[in-house]
Amino acid sequence: MIIAVDGPAASGKGTIARALARHYGLPHLDTGLLYRAVAAEVLREERDPANEADALAGCSFDDFQLEDPRLKSEEVGKVASVVSAHPLVRKALLLRQKRFAGQPGGAVLDGRDIGTVIAPEADVKIFVKATPMIRAQRRQLEQRKSGIFESLDKVLSDIRARDERDAKRAEAPMRQAADAVLLDTSFLSIEAAVQKAVAIVEAARSRAKAASESE
Ligand code: DC
């Protein structure tokens, strides 16, 4: 079973994808980390993330770099959004993600284009959303835990800028697949959001089972 979880920054998609992977015993790939690893390389080598050739050079990161906790920083996230708009960067990371999705037994992947580009054949597609203000509040809370104190206005404007870049780029923009189920986590606890996600997967499995039995 392939489960595709897409959505904007701080929507809860990563938490939901990890919980689904645990629940169904499936391997999980946070595809945002790949773009973050490219961004970290570009930053380390002091290259220009807006330049496609510079960004492409960052794609030669080693797997162990994916474990670096610094990839989770706000700065790396912002640069990841910039490098991810380049078609050659997306192409360089495509096969790895498709292979992960296609492994025997299936997988859970989360990102922006999983249901539309990486695994359009996914058995279940969930698009996770939450209002920009709620996402900004969550992000601000996370930042405070790691000792970063930014105003809510600043966090909100960063979130809006990232949404705009991720959704408006020409190549594989963030978008809900036509056959994805929308899950709004704005007013849900983590537990309630995960419960809803499991219910979405179970409903899709029942539909698939009924369809195969009627063949
Ligand atoms: O999910 P995240 O915040 O870790 O992602 C960082 C950036 O990477 C995001 O702003 C856009 C890009 N990204 C992408 O273009 N496609 C994906 N499948 C995942 C992330």
Side-chain angles (χ1 to χ4, degrees), residues 44-191:
R44 194 173 61 83
E45 295 177 358
E46 297 183 5
R47 292 170 182 264
D48 175 10
N51 177 288
E52 185 158 35
D54 278 12
L56 186 61
C59 291
S60 54
F61 60 83
D62 287 314
D63 274 11
F64 75 85
Q65 290 174 262
L66 295 170
E67 311 291 330
D68 188 342
R70 285 172 299 186
L71 293 190
K72 293 286 180 191
S73 78
E74 219 34 50
E75 186 197 13
V76 172
K78 206 181 291 176
V79 175
S81 167
V82 176
V83 297
S84 70
H86 299 300
L88 290 178
V89 169
R90 304 203 71 82
K91 197 169 165 215
L93 301 177
L94 185 77
L95 195 61
R96 174 187 191 133
Q97 297 173 77
K98 280 193 173 280
R99 281 210 184 111
F100 193 93
Q103 63 188 292
V108 182
L109 290 88
D110 73 86
R112 303 290 188 289
D113 62 340
I114 310 302
T116 51
V117 176
I118 303 298
E121 75 284 17
D123 302 281
V124 190
K125 297 181 188 178
I126 304 177
F127 192 87
V128 185
K129 73 167 208 177
T131 67
M133 180 52 93
I134 290 201
R135 289 188 284 128
Q137 286 166 344
R138 289 177 187 162
R139 193 39 63 87
Q140 193 191 37
L141 209 66
E142 264 173 35
Q143 288 182 354
R144 284 186 176 167
K145 281 185 201 152
S146 37
I148 299 166
F149 297 92
E150 283 187 338
S151 73
L152 191 58
D153 273 358
K154 166 80 170 66
V155 182
L156 182 59
S157 77
D158 282 353
I159 288 243
R160 287 193 196 280
R162 183 112 81 93
D163 284 356
E164 168 105 2
R165 223 176 5 242
D166 293 347
K168 297 246 167 93
R169 66 177 177 232
E171 188 82 9
M174 169 174 71
R175 152 171 99 70
Q176 183 182 346
D179 51 351
V181 178
L182 186 65
L183 174 51
D184 188 340
T185 66
S186 300
F187 304 105
L188 296 178
S189 64
I190 291 178
E191 294 72 24

